[in-house]
Amino acid sequence: MLVRINTAPRMQIDGQLAALAGERMSCCEFRYRRGAEIFGEGEEPEYVYQIISGAVRTYKLLPDGRRQINAFHLAGDMFGFENETTHRFTAEAIVETNVHLMRRTSILEAVRHGGAGTKDLIKFVTQNLQHAESHMLLLGRKTSLERVTAFLIEMDERLQHPDVMILPMNRRDIADYLGLTLETVSRALSILRDEGLLRFDGNTQRRLELVDRGALAKIDA
Amino acid sequence: MLVRINTAPRMQIDGQLAALAGERMSCCEFRYRRGAEIFGEGEEPEYVYQIISGAVRTYKLLPDGRRQINAFHLAGDMFGFENETTHRFTAEAIVETNVHLMRRTSILEAVRHGGAGTKDLIKFVTQNLQHAESHMLLLGRKTSLERVTAFLIEMDERLQHPDVMILPMNRRDIADYLGLTLETVSRALSILRDEGLLRFDGNTQRRLELVDRGALAKIDA
DNA sequence: AGGCGAAATTGATCAGGCTCAAATCCGGGA
DNA sequence: TCCCGGATTTGAGCCTGATCAATTTCGCCT
């Protein structure tokens, strides 16, 4: 059984999609297996994607294989919009993932004609930029413990403070998102557990319970 | 005498500004002294800025003073656009800097009315996002030597491959941009100099001559 | 030209996070 | 239910880049 998180799309983002493209533009659904590539860096962008269920990672690679994950995309999130003629990074399904597709050209068309969704597109890109800016602060200046804590708080918020947080991604993904190694991520999580700020729930390491959100927020400088 | 770089605005960006706001929106010019704050994180955005001459750094701070510089802005560059009601970072003049101001509300107005500059605004925000994404790769995964080399190549391109590159920012600024300490930046520059890839020009450490751009490009993974 | 304070370089040592390695845990299939 | 392979944790030692500390260089002023 594959992990599914947050099956219901979040309303505000759903609204964003509708405003952006209109119902008729959402041409079809598509399903990706765990680990499947959705698009590759350098490819020509054909679609914009909205996640119905599942989770996606987008990343860049250096020639020798070092990987930096820009962002995780969860149910309800949009990704894959490009203004240029190539994708700037690769997107892969972390778990089995269902997406809505819409044609990129439809969106560009809507903008050209001063469509109602233009403001939402600007907002969408701006939100991505905002996330990237705070992530640069994390990558450039935070300690490993602060990074892992920041990640937990980010996920907790995006999953709307669940009692038990089910992470779709493995430790390597988290490490490549935070600019660390998987061992360092694991050690940081163990420290937070030993200090009583979180619990590894039951018999799976991907189920976490944030016990003391206040203390976590204080660590996240 | 203060350092001035690249006094003439680059045409394509000038065009961007014009398309975005129209001549009439460029309400006035303003001058900032070396080190002066242009706007602070959390402040309400009133203007969007285009640099006539000089250089600007934008950055975020952690509570204990750790600083991450998102970007350097040079002559011709625009900065300070916000979609939200607060600035997401601080902007300071690195050297004496002259800017064009235009009212943020004018731009939002233009977008609301489907103005011709809308596409350019999307392009502007997308370019910022693109820069942020490649900077995340640098901050998360590159070595100190790779970072400094990437910085030199970026500046070289933005200054259009001058014979002698005059850097407006000091070593601490470079370090805070690259997620390093100023000592590490200095050591990396010394290594590149000792290996003959660049020269410290004459009697100033801020004047660099890139001797072997090919070799530098190879270091920048 | 001389001198002062800031900026930059260079050196010595330290430490946080990485690498290498081993043990343990977990999910899924037989 | 047992077993296997991948994921995760944990440990030991190392290395890159940080920190602390002199020097040297440079910009700018008189």
Side-chain angles (χ1 to χ4, degrees):
Chain A
M1 178 62 176
L2 288 163
V3 176
R4 297 264 184 109
I5 44 132
N6 200 10
T7 307
R10 279 182 267 161
M11 281 311 115
Q12 107 238 27
I13 310 251
D14 205 38
Q16 190 177 91
L17 171 66
L20 250 178
E23 277 307 319
R24 64 187 159 67
M25 287 187 190
S26 177
C27 76
C28 49
E29 287 188 25
F30 207 84
R31 165 170 308 206
Y32 294 94
R33 265 185 253 287
R34 190 157 105 79
E37 178 172 308
I38 299 171
F39 55 77
E41 188 170 348
E43 285 181 16
E44 194 181 329
E46 196 171 353
Y47 300 104
V48 177
Y49 305 80
Q50 186 181 37
I51 299 178
I52 299 166
S53 68
V56 169
R57 60 183 167 244
T58 55
Y59 63 85
K60 283 172 178 285
L61 287 178
L62 290 174
D64 65 0
R66 283 173 283 173
R67 182 177 71 158
Q68 178 62 43
I69 294 179
N70 307 298
F72 294 116
H73 304 277
L74 308 181
D77 293 348
M78 275 179 51
F79 66 96
F81 172 75
E82 294 289 348
N83 206 19
E84 308 296 319
T85 56
T86 56
H87 278 297
R88 301 187 304 269
F89 39 71
T90 303
E92 284 174 0
I94 297 176
V95 295
E96 180 168 292
T97 297
N98 292 292
V99 299
H100 272 303
L101 305 179
M102 57 202 136
R103 297 205 164 277
R104 171 175 172 269
T105 49
S106 311
I107 290 182
L108 293 180
E109 197 64 21
V111 170
R112 196 164 11 249
H113 291 59
T118 305
K119 249 184 74 181
D120 297 286
L121 182 60
I122 293 173
K123 186 166 184 176
F124 169 70
V125 180
T126 303
Q127 280 171 350
N128 283 0
L129 179 57
Q130 215 158 318
H131 179 268
E133 284 162 350
S134 51
H135 208 57
M136 285 193 282
L137 177 60
L138 178 148
L139 293 171
R141 289 301 179 211
K142 290 189 182 178
T143 66
S144 61
L145 196 62
E146 288 167 350
R147 293 180 200 208
V148 171
T149 304
F151 167 76
L152 293 172
I153 291 173
E154 181 189 348
M155 283 299 146
D156 184 52
E157 283 172 1
R158 293 176 65 186
L159 298 173
Q160 299 159 74
H161 311 289
D163 290 336
V164 175
M165 183 161 57
I166 300 176
L167 298 176
M169 69 290 285
N170 63 25
R171 300 291 189 259
R172 172 169 294 281
D173 287 336
I174 298 172
D176 285 351
Y177 179 60
L178 298 177
L180 300 169
T181 60
L182 64 91
E183 292 94 334
T184 299
V185 170
S186 179
R187 278 184 243 272
L189 288 172
S190 296
I191 289 171
L192 295 173
R193 178 202 53 196
D194 293 348
E195 297 196 341
L197 306 197
L198 63 82
R199 263 198 284 271
F200 287 11
D201 191 76
N203 48 6
T204 297
Q205 285 127 323
R206 302 232 190 135
R207 284 185 207 183
L208 300 178
E209 185 184 343
L210 303 190
V211 175
D212 189 345
R213 290 182 169 86
L216 288 169
K218 273 175 64 182
I219 290 176
D220 179 26
Chain B
M1 180 63 175
L2 288 162
V3 175
R4 295 264 184 111
I5 45 132
N6 198 11
T7 306
R10 279 181 269 163
M11 281 311 113
Q12 107 239 29
I13 310 249
D14 204 38
Q16 190 177 90
L17 171 67
L20 248 179
E23 277 308 318
R24 63 188 158 67
M25 286 186 191
S26 177
C27 77
C28 48
E29 288 188 24
F30 207 84
R31 165 171 307 208
Y32 293 93
R33 265 185 252 287
R34 192 157 101 80
E37 178 172 309
I38 299 171
F39 55 78
E41 188 171 346
E43 285 180 19
E44 193 181 331
E46 195 171 353
Y47 300 105
V48 177
Y49 305 80
Q50 186 181 38
I51 298 178
I52 299 166
S53 68
V56 169
R57 60 181 167 246
T58 54
Y59 63 84
K60 283 172 177 285
L61 288 178
L62 289 174
D64 65 1
R66 282 173 285 173
R67 183 177 71 157
Q68 177 62 44
I69 294 180
N70 306 297
F72 294 116
H73 304 278
L74 308 180
D77 293 347
M78 278 180 49
F79 67 94
F81 172 75
E82 294 290 349
N83 207 17
E84 307 298 318
T85 56
T86 56
H87 278 296
R88 302 187 304 268
F89 39 72
T90 303
E92 284 174 0
I94 297 176
V95 294
E96 181 169 291
T97 297
N98 293 292
V99 298
H100 272 303
L101 305 178
M102 57 200 137
R103 298 207 163 275
R104 171 175 172 269
T105 48
S106 311
I107 291 182
L108 294 180
E109 197 64 22
V111 170
R112 197 167 7 251
H113 292 58
T118 304
K119 249 184 74 181
D120 296 286
L121 182 60
I122 292 173
K123 186 167 185 177
F124 168 71
V125 180
T126 303
Q127 280 171 351
N128 283 359
L129 179 57
Q130 216 158 317
H131 179 269
E133 283 162 352
S134 52
H135 208 57
M136 284 193 283
L137 177 60
L138 178 148
L139 293 171
R141 290 299 177 214
K142 290 188 182 179
T143 66
S144 62
L145 196 63
E146 288 168 350
R147 293 182 201 208
V148 171
T149 304
F151 167 76
L152 292 172
I153 291 173
E154 181 189 348
M155 284 298 146
D156 184 52
E157 283 173 3
R158 292 177 64 185
L159 299 172
Q160 298 158 73
H161 312 288
D163 290 337
V164 175
M165 182 161 60
I166 301 176
L167 297 175
M169 69 290 283
N170 63 25
R171 300 291 189 260
R172 172 169 294 282
D173 286 336
I174 299 172
D176 286 351
Y177 178 59
L178 299 177
L180 300 170
T181 60
L182 64 93
E183 292 94 334
T184 299
V185 170
S186 179
R187 278 184 243 272
L189 288 172
S190 298
I191 289 171
L192 295 173
R193 178 202 52 197
D194 294 348
E195 297 196 341
L197 306 197
L198 62 84
R199 261 197 286 271
F200 287 12
D201 191 76
N203 49 6
T204 297
Q205 287 127 325
R206 302 230 190 138
R207 285 184 207 184
L208 301 179
E209 185 184 342
L210 303 191
V211 174
D212 190 345
R213 290 183 169 85
L216 288 169
K218 273 174 64 181
I219 290 176
D220 179 25

